[in-house]
Amino acid sequence: MASGVGELFRTLYRDRTPGADDSAAEAWLNAPIGDGRYVEDVYAAADRKEGRAG
């Protein structure tokens, strides 16, 4: 997962969970990753002109 997406998830969790802090948001996001229920996926888009990843 791109770092920006992870930060967005943590921010949403903190904003919408009463009493949640940075540590709680980090633990919340890491739980499904550690359990194998969420897989981080980052890919590169292909360059249409060259047909190569870019």
Side-chain angles (χ1 to χ4, degrees):
M1 162 179 9
S3 61
V5 175
E7 184 54 36
L8 175 62
F9 285 155
R10 287 187 292 274
T11 297
L12 288 170
Y13 181 83
R14 283 189 307 268
D15 290 352
R16 297 172 187 269
T17 305
D21 60 6
D22 291 343
S23 178
E26 189 69 27
W28 170 80
L29 184 58
N30 286 336
I33 294 170
D35 292 344
R37 295 181 287 131
Y38 185 83
V39 178
E40 296 176 302
D41 186 16
V42 177
Y43 68 96
D47 181 345
R48 294 182 187 261
K49 290 181 183 178
E50 301 291 325
R52 298 181 306 206

